[in-house]
Coordinates of all heavy atoms in Angstrom, one line a residue:
M25 N -42.2 -89.5 -133.0 CA -41.2 -89.7 -132.0 C -40.0 -88.9 -132.4 O -38.9 -89.3 -132.8 CB -40.8 -91.2 -132.1 CG -40.5 -91.8 -130.7 SD -40.5 -93.5 -130.6 CE -38.9 -93.9 -131.2
K26 N -40.2 -87.6 -132.3 CA -39.1 -86.6 -132.6 C -38.7 -85.8 -131.3 O -39.6 -85.5 -130.5 CB -39.6 -85.6 -133.6 CG -39.7 -86.3 -135.0 CD -40.1 -85.2 -136.1 CE -40.2 -85.9 -137.4 NZ -40.6 -84.9 -138.4
C27 N -37.4 -85.5 -131.2 CA -36.9 -84.7 -130.1 C -37.5 -83.3 -130.1 O -37.7 -82.7 -131.2 CB -35.4 -84.6 -130.3 SG -34.6 -83.7 -128.9
T28 N -37.9 -82.8 -128.9 CA -38.5 -81.5 -128.9 C -37.4 -80.4 -128.9 O -37.7 -79.2 -128.9 CB -39.3 -81.4 -127.6 OG1 -38.5 -81.6 -126.4 CG2 -40.5 -82.3 -127.6
H29 N -36.1 -80.8 -129.0 CA -35.1 -79.7 -129.1 C -34.9 -79.3 -130.5 O -35.1 -78.1 -130.8 CB -33.7 -80.3 -128.6 CG -32.6 -79.3 -128.6 ND1 -31.4 -79.6 -129.3 CD2 -32.5 -78.1 -128.1 CE1 -30.6 -78.6 -129.2 NE2 -31.2 -77.6 -128.5
R30 N -34.7 -80.2 -131.5 CA -34.5 -79.8 -132.9 C -35.1 -80.8 -133.8 O -34.7 -81.0 -135.0 CB -33.0 -79.6 -133.2 CG -32.3 -78.5 -132.5 CD -32.4 -77.2 -133.2 NE -31.9 -76.1 -132.3 CZ -30.7 -75.7 -132.1 NH1 -29.7 -76.4 -132.8 NH2 -30.3 -74.7 -131.4
A31 N -36.1 -81.6 -133.3 CA -36.9 -82.5 -134.1 C -36.1 -83.7 -134.7 O -36.5 -84.2 -135.8 CB -37.7 -81.7 -135.2
N32 N -35.0 -84.0 -134.1 CA -34.3 -85.2 -134.6 C -35.1 -86.5 -134.2 O -35.7 -86.5 -133.1 CB -32.9 -85.2 -133.9 CG -32.0 -86.3 -134.5 OD1 -31.7 -86.2 -135.7 ND2 -31.5 -87.1 -133.7
P33 N -35.1 -87.5 -135.0 CA -35.8 -88.8 -134.6 C -35.2 -89.3 -133.3 O -33.9 -89.3 -133.2 CB -35.5 -89.7 -135.8 CG -35.3 -88.8 -137.0 CD -34.6 -87.6 -136.4
L34 N -36.0 -89.9 -132.5 CA -35.5 -90.5 -131.2 C -35.3 -92.0 -131.4 O -35.9 -92.6 -132.2 CB -36.6 -90.2 -130.1 CG -36.8 -88.8 -129.8 CD1 -37.9 -88.6 -128.8 CD2 -35.5 -88.2 -129.2
N35 N -34.5 -92.6 -130.5 CA -34.3 -94.0 -130.5 C -34.7 -94.5 -129.1 O -34.6 -93.8 -128.1 CB -32.8 -94.3 -130.6 CG -32.2 -93.9 -132.0 OD1 -32.7 -94.4 -133.0 ND2 -31.4 -92.9 -132.0
A36 N -35.2 -95.7 -129.1 CA -35.7 -96.4 -127.9 C -34.5 -97.0 -127.2 O -33.6 -97.6 -127.9 CB -36.8 -97.4 -128.2
S37 N -34.5 -97.0 -125.9 CA -33.4 -97.7 -125.1 C -34.1 -98.2 -123.9 O -35.3 -98.1 -123.7 CB -32.3 -96.7 -124.7 OG -32.8 -95.8 -123.8
D38 N -33.4 -98.9 -123.0 CA -34.0 -99.5 -121.8 C -34.6 -98.4 -121.0 O -34.0 -97.5 -120.5 CB -32.9 -100.1 -121.0 CG -32.4 -101.4 -121.6 OD1 -33.2 -102.0 -122.5 OD2 -31.3 -101.9 -121.3
G39 N -36.0 -98.4 -120.9 CA -36.7 -97.5 -120.0 C -36.8 -96.1 -120.6 O -37.2 -95.2 -119.8
G40 N -36.6 -95.8 -121.8 CA -36.7 -94.4 -122.3 C -36.4 -94.3 -123.8 O -36.3 -95.2 -124.5
L41 N -36.3 -93.0 -124.1 CA -36.0 -92.6 -125.5 C -34.8 -91.6 -125.5 O -34.7 -90.8 -124.5 CB -37.2 -91.9 -126.1 CG -38.5 -92.8 -126.1 CD1 -39.7 -91.9 -126.4 CD2 -38.4 -93.9 -127.2
Y42 N -34.0 -91.7 -126.5 CA -32.8 -90.8 -126.5 C -32.6 -90.2 -127.9 O -33.0 -90.8 -128.9 CB -31.6 -91.4 -125.9 CG -31.0 -92.5 -126.8 CD1 -30.0 -92.2 -127.7 CD2 -31.5 -93.8 -126.7 CE1 -29.4 -93.2 -128.5 CE2 -31.0 -94.8 -127.5 CZ -29.9 -94.5 -128.4 OH -29.4 -95.5 -129.2
C43 N -32.0 -89.0 -127.9 CA -31.7 -88.4 -129.1 C -30.1 -88.4 -129.3 O -29.4 -88.0 -128.5 CB -32.1 -86.9 -129.0 SG -31.7 -85.9 -130.5
T44 N -29.7 -88.9 -130.5 CA -28.3 -89.0 -130.8 C -27.6 -87.7 -131.2 O -26.4 -87.6 -131.2 CB -28.0 -90.0 -131.9 OG1 -28.8 -89.6 -133.1 CG2 -28.5 -91.4 -131.5
L45 N -28.5 -86.7 -131.5 CA -27.9 -85.4 -132.0 C -27.2 -84.6 -130.9 O -26.1 -84.2 -131.1 CB -29.0 -84.6 -132.7 CG -28.5 -83.5 -133.7 CD1 -27.6 -84.0 -134.7 CD2 -29.7 -82.8 -134.4
H46 N -27.9 -84.4 -129.8 CA -27.3 -83.5 -128.8 C -27.4 -84.2 -127.4 O -27.1 -83.6 -126.4 CB -27.9 -82.2 -128.7 CG -27.9 -81.4 -130.0 ND1 -29.0 -81.1 -130.7 CD2 -26.9 -81.0 -130.8 CE1 -28.7 -80.5 -131.8 NE2 -27.4 -80.4 -131.9
G47 N -28.0 -85.4 -127.4 CA -28.0 -86.2 -126.1 C -29.2 -86.0 -125.2 O -29.2 -86.5 -124.1
S48 N -30.3 -85.4 -125.6 CA -31.5 -85.3 -124.8 C -32.0 -86.7 -124.5 O -31.9 -87.6 -125.4 CB -32.6 -84.5 -125.4 OG -32.2 -83.1 -125.4
R49 N -32.6 -86.9 -123.3 CA -33.3 -88.2 -123.0 C -34.7 -87.9 -122.4 O -34.9 -86.9 -121.8 CB -32.4 -88.9 -121.9 CG -31.1 -89.4 -122.5 CD -30.4 -90.3 -121.5 NE -29.2 -90.9 -122.2 CZ -29.3 -92.1 -122.8 NH1 -30.4 -92.8 -122.8 NH2 -28.3 -92.6 -123.4
F50 N -35.6 -88.9 -122.7 CA -36.9 -88.8 -122.2 C -37.3 -90.1 -121.6 O -36.9 -91.2 -122.0 CB -37.9 -88.5 -123.4 CG -37.5 -87.3 -124.2 CD1 -36.6 -87.3 -125.2 CD2 -38.2 -86.1 -124.0 CE1 -36.3 -86.2 -126.0 CE2 -37.8 -84.9 -124.7 CZ -36.9 -85.0 -125.7
D51 N -38.2 -90.0 -120.6 CA -38.7 -91.3 -120.0 C -39.9 -91.8 -120.8 O -40.3 -91.1 -121.8 CB -39.1 -91.1 -118.5 CG -40.3 -90.1 -118.3 OD1 -41.0 -89.9 -119.2 OD2 -40.4 -89.7 -117.1
L52 N -40.5 -92.9 -120.5 CA -41.5 -93.5 -121.3 C -42.8 -92.7 -121.2 O -43.7 -93.0 -122.0 CB -41.7 -94.9 -120.9 CG -40.5 -95.9 -121.3 CD1 -40.8 -97.3 -120.9 CD2 -40.2 -95.8 -122.8
D53 N -42.9 -91.8 -120.3 CA -44.1 -90.9 -120.3 C -43.8 -89.6 -121.1 O -44.7 -88.7 -121.2 CB -44.4 -90.5 -118.9 CG -45.0 -91.7 -118.1 OD1 -45.8 -92.4 -118.7 OD2 -44.7 -91.8 -116.9
G54 N -42.6 -89.5 -121.7 CA -42.3 -88.3 -122.5 C -41.7 -87.2 -121.8 O -41.5 -86.1 -122.4
N55 N -41.4 -87.3 -120.5 CA -40.8 -86.3 -119.7 C -39.3 -86.2 -120.0 O -38.7 -87.2 -120.2 CB -41.0 -86.5 -118.2 CG -42.5 -86.6 -117.9 OD1 -43.3 -85.7 -118.2 ND2 -42.9 -87.7 -117.2
V56 N -38.8 -84.9 -120.0 CA -37.4 -84.7 -120.2 C -36.6 -85.2 -119.0 O -36.9 -84.8 -117.9 CB -37.1 -83.2 -120.5 CG1 -35.6 -83.0 -120.6 CG2 -37.8 -82.7 -121.7
V57 N -35.6 -86.1 -119.2 CA -34.7 -86.5 -118.1 C -33.3 -86.0 -118.3 O -32.5 -86.1 -117.4 CB -34.8 -88.0 -117.8 CG1 -36.2 -88.4 -117.4 CG2 -34.4 -88.8 -119.1
A58 N -33.0 -85.6 -119.5 CA -31.7 -85.0 -119.8 C -31.8 -83.9 -120.9 O -32.4 -84.2 -121.9 CB -30.7 -86.0 -120.2
E59 N -31.3 -82.7 -120.6 CA -31.4 -81.6 -121.6 C -30.3 -81.8 -122.7 O -29.4 -82.7 -122.5 CB -31.2 -80.3 -120.9 CG -32.4 -80.0 -119.9 CD -32.2 -78.7 -119.3 OE1 -31.3 -77.9 -119.5 OE2 -33.1 -78.4 -118.5
P60 N -30.3 -81.1 -123.8 CA -30.8 -79.7 -123.9 C -32.3 -79.6 -124.2 O -32.9 -78.5 -124.1 CB -30.0 -79.2 -125.1 CG -29.7 -80.3 -125.9 CD -29.5 -81.5 -124.9
A61 N -33.1 -80.6 -124.5 CA -34.5 -80.5 -124.7 C -35.1 -80.0 -123.4 O -34.7 -80.5 -122.3 CB -35.1 -81.8 -125.2
T62 N -36.1 -79.2 -123.4 CA -36.7 -78.7 -122.2 C -38.2 -79.0 -122.2 O -38.9 -78.9 -121.1 CB -36.5 -77.2 -121.9 OG1 -37.0 -76.5 -123.1 CG2 -35.1 -76.9 -121.8
Q63 N -38.8 -79.3 -123.3 CA -40.2 -79.6 -123.5 C -40.5 -81.1 -123.5 O -39.7 -81.8 -124.2 CB -40.8 -78.9 -124.7 CG -40.6 -77.4 -124.7 CD -41.4 -76.8 -123.6 OE1 -42.5 -77.0 -123.3 NE2 -40.7 -75.9 -122.8
P64 N -41.5 -81.6 -122.9 CA -41.8 -83.0 -123.0 C -42.3 -83.4 -124.4 O -42.7 -82.5 -125.2 CB -43.0 -83.2 -122.0 CG -43.6 -81.8 -121.9 CD -42.5 -80.8 -122.1
L65 N -42.3 -84.7 -124.6 CA -42.8 -85.2 -125.9 C -44.3 -85.0 -126.0 O -45.0 -85.1 -125.0 CB -42.5 -86.7 -126.1 CG -41.0 -87.0 -126.1 CD1 -40.8 -88.5 -126.2 CD2 -40.3 -86.3 -127.2
K66 N -44.9 -84.9 -127.2 CA -46.3 -84.8 -127.4 C -46.9 -86.2 -127.1 O -46.3 -87.2 -127.5 CB -46.6 -84.3 -128.8 CG -48.0 -84.0 -129.0 CD -48.2 -83.3 -130.4 CE -49.7 -82.9 -130.5 NZ -50.0 -82.1 -131.6
K67 N -48.0 -86.2 -126.5 CA -48.7 -87.4 -126.1 C -50.0 -87.5 -126.9 O -50.7 -86.5 -127.2 CB -49.0 -87.5 -124.6 CG -47.8 -87.5 -123.8 CD -48.2 -87.5 -122.3 CE -47.0 -87.4 -121.4 NZ -47.4 -87.3 -120.0
Y68 N -50.4 -88.8 -127.3 CA -51.6 -89.1 -128.0 C -52.4 -90.1 -127.2 O -51.8 -91.1 -126.7 CB -51.3 -89.6 -129.4 CG -50.6 -88.6 -130.2 CD1 -49.2 -88.7 -130.3 CD2 -51.2 -87.6 -131.0 CE1 -48.5 -87.8 -131.1 CE2 -50.6 -86.7 -131.8 CZ -49.2 -86.8 -131.8 OH -48.5 -85.9 -132.6
P69 N -53.7 -89.9 -127.1 CA -54.5 -90.9 -126.4 C -54.5 -92.3 -127.1 O -54.6 -92.3 -128.3 CB -55.9 -90.4 -126.5 CG -55.8 -88.9 -126.8 CD -54.5 -88.8 -127.5
V70 N -54.3 -93.4 -126.3 CA -54.2 -94.7 -126.9 C -55.2 -95.6 -126.2 O -55.4 -95.5 -125.0 CB -52.8 -95.3 -126.7 CG1 -52.7 -96.8 -127.1 CG2 -51.7 -94.5 -127.4
V71 N -56.0 -96.4 -127.0 CA -56.9 -97.3 -126.5 C -56.5 -98.7 -127.0 O -56.3 -98.9 -128.2 CB -58.4 -97.0 -126.9 CG1 -59.3 -98.1 -126.5 CG2 -58.8 -95.6 -126.4
V72 N -56.4 -99.7 -126.1 CA -56.1 -101.1 -126.5 C -57.3 -101.9 -126.2 O -57.9 -101.9 -125.1 CB -54.9 -101.6 -125.7 CG1 -54.6 -103.1 -126.1 CG2 -53.7 -100.8 -125.9
N73 N -57.9 -102.5 -127.3 CA -59.1 -103.4 -127.2 C -58.8 -104.7 -127.9 O -58.7 -104.8 -129.1 CB -60.2 -102.6 -127.9 CG -61.5 -103.3 -127.6 OD1 -61.6 -104.3 -127.0 ND2 -62.6 -102.8 -128.2
N74 N -58.5 -105.7 -127.0 CA -58.1 -107.0 -127.5 C -56.8 -106.9 -128.4 O -55.8 -106.5 -127.9 CB -59.2 -107.7 -128.3 CG -60.4 -108.0 -127.4 OD1 -60.2 -108.4 -126.2 ND2 -61.6 -107.9 -127.9
S75 N -56.9 -107.2 -129.7 CA -55.7 -107.1 -130.5 C -55.6 -105.8 -131.3 O -54.7 -105.6 -132.1 CB -55.6 -108.3 -131.4 OG -56.7 -108.2 -132.3
L76 N -56.5 -104.9 -131.0 CA -56.6 -103.6 -131.7 C -56.0 -102.5 -130.9 O -56.4 -102.3 -129.7 CB -58.0 -103.3 -132.1 CG -58.2 -102.0 -132.9 CD1 -57.6 -102.0 -134.3 CD2 -59.7 -101.7 -133.0
I77 N -55.0 -101.7 -131.4 CA -54.5 -100.6 -130.7 C -54.9 -99.3 -131.5 O -54.6 -99.2 -132.7 CB -53.0 -100.6 -130.7 CG1 -52.5 -101.9 -129.9 CG2 -52.4 -99.4 -130.0 CD1 -51.0 -102.1 -129.9
Q78 N -55.6 -98.4 -130.9 CA -56.1 -97.2 -131.5 C -55.4 -96.0 -131.0 O -55.5 -95.7 -129.8 CB -57.6 -97.1 -131.4 CG -58.3 -95.9 -132.1 CD -59.8 -95.9 -131.9 OE1 -60.4 -96.6 -131.1 NE2 -60.4 -95.1 -132.7
I79 N -54.8 -95.2 -131.8 CA -54.1 -94.0 -131.4 C -54.8 -92.8 -132.0 O -54.9 -92.7 -133.2 CB -52.6 -94.0 -131.9 CG1 -51.9 -95.3 -131.3 CG2 -51.9 -92.7 -131.4 CD1 -50.5 -95.5 -131.9
S80 N -55.3 -91.9 -131.2 CA -56.0 -90.7 -131.7 C -55.0 -89.6 -131.9 O -54.3 -89.2 -131.0 CB -57.0 -90.3 -130.7 OG -58.0 -91.3 -130.5
I81 N -54.9 -89.1 -133.2 CA -53.9 -88.0 -133.5 C -54.7 -86.8 -134.0 O -55.7 -86.9 -134.4 CB -52.8 -88.5 -134.4 CG1 -53.4 -89.1 -135.7 CG2 -51.9 -89.5 -133.8 CD1 -52.4 -89.4 -136.8
Ligands
FES112 S1 -32.1 -82.5 -131.5 FE1 -32.3 -83.8 -129.8 S2 -31.1 -83.0 -128.3 FE2 -30.9 -81.6 -129.9

């Protein structure tokens, strides 16, 4: 969960993720909604099976 601008850790907020360093914002699909970041977040396949969450990295 790092910003694609300068790799600062992101924080969760209502409906998205934000970077405190320069103000980039991302939606919950990882798309940029506020620059300076221009690249979307990296996505990993997730499978939920009962109480098990499997993330393929
Ligand atoms: S490091 Fe996140 S906006 Fe620059």
Side-chain angles (χ1 to χ4, degrees):
M25 219 165 81
K26 290 184 179 177
C27 182
T28 56
H29 181 234
R30 299 270 169 84
N32 191 57
L34 296 174
N35 296 296
S37 67
D38 289 338
L41 303 164
Y42 68 97
C43 178
T44 57
L45 197 54
H46 308 112
S48 290
R49 291 185 170 273
F50 303 85
D51 65 20
L52 292 179
D53 289 324
N55 301 307
V56 176
V57 294
E59 295 184 0
T62 57
Q63 299 298 310
L65 299 177
K66 189 168 185 171
K67 297 179 184 178
Y68 299 94
V70 175
V71 175
V72 179
N73 188 1
N74 295 322
S75 61
L76 179 67
I77 300 172
Q78 183 176 12
I79 303 170
S80 300
I81 54 174

